[in-house]
Amino acid sequence: MNPNVKIALIYLIIGSLWILVSDQLLLSLLNGNIPDTNHLQTVKGLLYVASTAILLYILVSRYYRTIHEKLRELETLNSTLKAQAHKLEATNKDLEQFAQITSHDLQEPLRTITGFLTLLDKKYKTSLDEAAQGYIQFAVDGAERMQKIIQDLLALSRVGRTADQLEQVDLNDMVKEVCTLQSQLINDTRAKIQCHQLPTVTAHRQALEQVFQNLLGNALKYIEKDTPPSVHITATDLGDSWKIIVKDNGIGIHEEYYEKIFLPFQRLHSSSEYTGTGIGLAIVKKIIENQGGHIWVESKPGSGSTFYFTLPK
Ligand code: ADP
């Protein structure tokens, strides 16, 4: 029961009981000697006010104590949460720093390996047999792949760290720019990219361009052989945010992988089937979440995939 209802009820009951029994009670207390009726009324009134005041005091202090205890609990919880958030932030910073330093430092020896392998291949190509040349090629491919992974890891650790300012970005222009960057692949695959009146959004330009590059790149890559890619980019106004939709006609994704593909290094295919490092969508997710939105996918194997992401207005 609500405290205010409880207090009103107690007040009502005590008041009614007092009206009904107070005369007899006072008469028995004063042994029937009552000076006059006016005095009796005053004594009755005073006793009633005193008893209700005591009762109210007890009830209010009880509720005050409960509220005070709850407040103390909330304060403790709040400070625990603050301490945990602080710890998480520090760990996150450490991790990002670690990723950046290691990937940066790893690039140097890797460049040396690739350089010397290429030199070996160039200088001794004629004196090496076919198997040895194949081994060198495998090693060069491996080193190049590792270089790409390191670069992607660096890009992932850099998300949200740039000094890039929020600005008004016309998505129609942005998609056009991304298409120009990927024009070679678009021509080679005879892809059709269609935009349907995209809005102007407030975002970090470079980061958002990276999102479209990755999503479009995947739509052009994960396609059945000899099927020209077809990509539709549309937007829906959700009131306080925009929902951007990138729909392709590719190989599709099974429902059990809808979440997994957004984690770093999670790939559903081998590099010989489709090239890649498995970091692209992790970067996309981090960028979108960094801008206050979220991203998800809906798809059916063999019937294409639709990627959705939101951007707050
Ligand atoms: P990468 O393309 O480098 O492997 P991503 O993080 O971009 O890395 O994608 C992760 C995985 O999600 C891909 O390996 C692929 O299996 C799947 N995927 C991503 N986009 C699509 C798409 N449009 N159609 C089908 N599968 C996709």
Side-chain angles (χ1 to χ4, degrees):
M1 198 188 288
N2 276 344
N4 47 352
V5 179
K6 219 168 171 179
I7 289 175
L9 264 178
I10 290 173
Y11 189 80
L12 205 75
I13 292 166
I14 299 226
S16 312
L17 279 174
W18 185 252
I19 289 164
L20 294 173
V21 301
S22 58
D23 281 0
Q24 284 88 334
L25 186 73
L26 282 176
L27 279 173
S28 67
L29 278 175
L30 301 169
N31 294 326
N33 292 328
I34 295 157
D36 62 45
T37 347
N38 271 348
H39 277 94
L40 181 66
Q41 293 304 329
T42 314
V43 173
K44 265 172 67 178
L46 283 173
L47 277 175
Y48 181 67
V49 168
S51 60
T52 45
I54 291 168
L55 231 143
L56 274 174
Y57 172 78
I58 294 168
L59 279 169
V60 170
S61 25
R62 238 186 69 191
Y63 283 112
Y64 181 75
R65 231 189 353 255
T66 320
I67 288 169
H68 201 70
E69 271 166 22
K70 289 265 178 272
L71 260 175
R72 253 211 318 260
E73 267 173 38
L74 270 176
E75 269 169 17
T76 323
L77 210 73
N78 209 9
S79 50
T80 318
L81 269 176
K82 262 189 195 158
Q84 272 174 353
H86 196 72
K87 231 165 135 181
L88 251 174
E89 208 178 307
T91 318
N92 223 6
K93 245 188 202 154
D94 282 354
L95 266 174
E96 275 179 10
Q97 223 167 14
F98 174 76
Q100 205 165 23
I101 292 167
T102 44
S103 18
H104 200 266
D105 289 356
L106 277 174
Q107 290 209 79
E108 178 54 36
L110 202 58
R111 265 197 291 268
T112 316
I113 295 172
T114 321
F116 277 105
L117 277 172
T118 318
L119 209 68
L120 197 69
D121 186 39
K122 263 191 199 155
K123 253 192 144 174
Y124 300 99
K125 199 170 186 170
T126 43
S127 50
L128 290 173
D129 65 9
E130 213 169 293
Q133 283 179 31
Y135 299 150
I136 291 178
Q137 196 49 52
F138 280 137
V140 171
D141 286 351
E144 278 171 357
R145 219 177 113 60
M146 194 161 168
Q147 200 152 27
K148 178 82 183 84
I149 292 173
I150 290 170
Q151 277 161 1
D152 282 359
L153 251 181
L154 263 173
L156 181 66
S157 74
R158 274 192 198 124
V159 174
R161 284 161 153 262
T162 54
D164 205 7
Q165 292 294 314
L166 278 174
E167 56 182 296
Q168 293 295 302
V169 181
D170 183 337
L171 293 187
N172 300 290
D173 293 344
M174 178 160 277
V175 173
K176 263 187 222 153
E177 275 169 37
V178 174
C179 286
T180 312
L181 286 172
Q182 310 225 10
S183 56
Q184 175 84 44
L185 189 60
I186 291 174
N187 288 336
D188 289 351
T189 53
R190 290 174 290 125
K192 257 199 188 135
I193 319 265
Q194 283 177 295
C195 277
H196 303 272
Q197 285 180 347
L198 300 178
T200 294
V201 298
T202 313
H204 297 287
R205 181 179 287 279
Q206 246 184 327
L208 199 59
E209 192 167 308
Q210 216 173 348
V211 168
F212 279 105
Q213 269 193 38
N214 275 307
L215 292 181
L216 212 67
N218 281 349
L220 298 175
K221 179 165 61 166
Y222 295 105
I223 198 89
E224 295 288 0
K225 273 196 178 67
D226 303 323
T227 309
S230 169
V231 189
H232 287 258
I233 306 172
T234 50
T236 311
D237 191 344
L238 298 180
D240 56 356
S241 63
W242 287 104
K243 181 165 80 174
I244 315 295
I245 304 150
V246 182
K247 184 175 163 49
D248 66 44
N249 63 333
I251 55 173
I253 300 158
H254 200 283
E255 197 177 341
E256 67 181 290
Y257 303 118
Y258 283 3
E259 307 257 324
K260 199 177 166 186
I261 55 167
F262 292 102
L263 299 173
F265 300 118
Q266 298 299 325
R267 306 203 67 226
L268 309 182
H269 309 92
S270 64
S271 314
S272 54
E273 280 178 290
Y274 296 98
T275 57
T277 57
I279 300 180
L281 286 180
I283 293 177
V284 167
K285 185 174 155 69
K286 202 170 166 194
I287 291 174
I288 296 298
E289 288 178 354
N290 222 29
Q291 309 221 354
H294 59 280
I295 182 164
W296 68 101
V297 68
E298 280 171 16
S299 174
K300 239 187 191 170
S303 307
S305 311
T306 309
F307 283 86
Y308 302 87
F309 67 89
T310 57
L311 288 172
K313 282 186 182 169

